[in-house]
Amino acid sequence: MSQQSLHIETIGQGRPIVMLHGWGVNSAVFTPLHHAFHDHQLLCIDLPGFGDSPAIEGELDAWVDHIMAQVPERAIWAGWSLGGLVATRAALRYPERIEALLTIASSPCFMAREDDGWPGIPPQILGQFGDQLEKDLGKMIERFLAIQAMGSETAKQDIKQLRDLVMAKPLPDAGALRAGLQMLKEVDLRAQLSEIQAPWLRVWGRLDGLVSRRVQPLMPVCESRYQDLVLPKASHAPFFSHREAFIDGVEAWLKTFNK
C-alpha cells in the first residue's frame, strides 16, 4: 500500500502538530481547533481505516510506523483518546522525532485491570461496542458519540456538533474499528511511561465517562517534563465543550519549551 495513503489536512503555518483523533470518529473532530494555535501548523490525520484514510494491516506499532512515514521529521504529537495511545506509543518508539507530547482524555491502559485495581473501562462495555459493531455500524457510532459528551453541561449541543462533523466523512472501516477496539482492550503502556523524555502535557476532563478521574493521580510525575491540565467541568471531549480553556492551557504549555 502506498505510503501516501493517509488523509492529512494541513492547516496554518509554523511548527507542526500531528493531531490524532479517537476511536470511531475521524479528524473532523478537530475542526474547533483549526487556527487555534499561533505559529503552529496542524496536521489533522484520519487514522488508518477512519474518515478518508484506507485501512492497513497490523496493530498499534503498524499504525505508528505508517503515520511516522508521512509526517515531518520532528513534530509535536497530540492525540485524543485512542489517538493519545497512538501518540504515546510513537513517543516511546521514535523518541528522537517527537518534540513534545500532548494527550487529551487519554489513558496508557484503557481497560480496567482487576489484578492491580487500575481504573479503566469495564471489559463488558468494550465488549458491547464489539457486538454492536457487527450489527449496526451507524448506530454504534451514534451511541459512542453520545458517551463522549456525557456529563458536560453542554452535552446535547456537543453531541450534535460532534455527530455532524464526524458523519460528514465516510463511516470507519469495520476492520479498523475492530483493530482499534483491540488496542483499547489490550494495550498497556504504563510500565514504559517514565521513559518519555519529551515535554508532555496531559489534559483531563474531570467528568469524563470513559477515562476515570482516578487515572491522572496514578500517572508518572516529573516536574521538569510532565504537566497535567484538569478541566473540572469537562467530559471526554474537552476541546469541544471547553474550547477556550483547552486552547489557553495548551498555548501556555507550548510557550514553555523551544521558543
Side-chain angles (χ1 to χ4, degrees), residues 233-249:
K233 296 194 173 173
S235 179
H236 192 62
F239 53 91
F240 248 85
S241 59
H242 296 76
R243 179 178 173 274
E244 285 184 19
F246 174 83
I247 291 170
D248 289 348

Side-chain angles (χ1 to χ4, degrees), residues 138-187:
K139 195 171 173 186
M140 186 276 298
I141 298 287
E142 292 261 343
R143 182 170 169 243
F144 189 63
L145 287 174
I147 293 176
Q148 312 287 308
M150 214 165 52
S152 158
E153 290 168 327
T154 51
K156 199 173 268 189
Q157 136 197 355
D158 294 345
I159 292 163
K160 183 184 182 313
Q161 197 186 355
L162 263 171
R163 188 174 57 227
D164 289 350
L165 288 169
V166 167
M167 293 303 190
K169 285 193 173 209
L171 281 174
D173 174 83
L177 279 168
R178 274 191 289 275
L181 204 54
Q182 213 56 28
M183 293 174 205
L184 293 175
K185 284 180 182 173
E186 293 177 1
V187 173

Side-chain angles (χ1 to χ4, degrees), residues 72-129:
E73 192 60 35
R74 255 178 86 73
I76 298 161
W77 277 52
W80 171 48
S81 196
L82 171 64
L85 197 65
V86 179
T88 302
R89 182 65 186 138
L92 291 163
R93 197 162 163 78
Y94 294 94
E96 71 291 347
R97 293 192 55 185
I98 307 284
E99 185 182 348
L101 176 64
L102 166 61
T103 54
I104 307 152
S106 193
S107 174
C109 176
F110 273 85
M111 198 163 86
R113 309 278 166 175
E114 279 183 19
D115 52 349
D116 59 7
W118 177 259
I121 303 171
Q124 62 270 26
I125 299 286
L126 289 174
Q128 283 169 16
F129 283 122

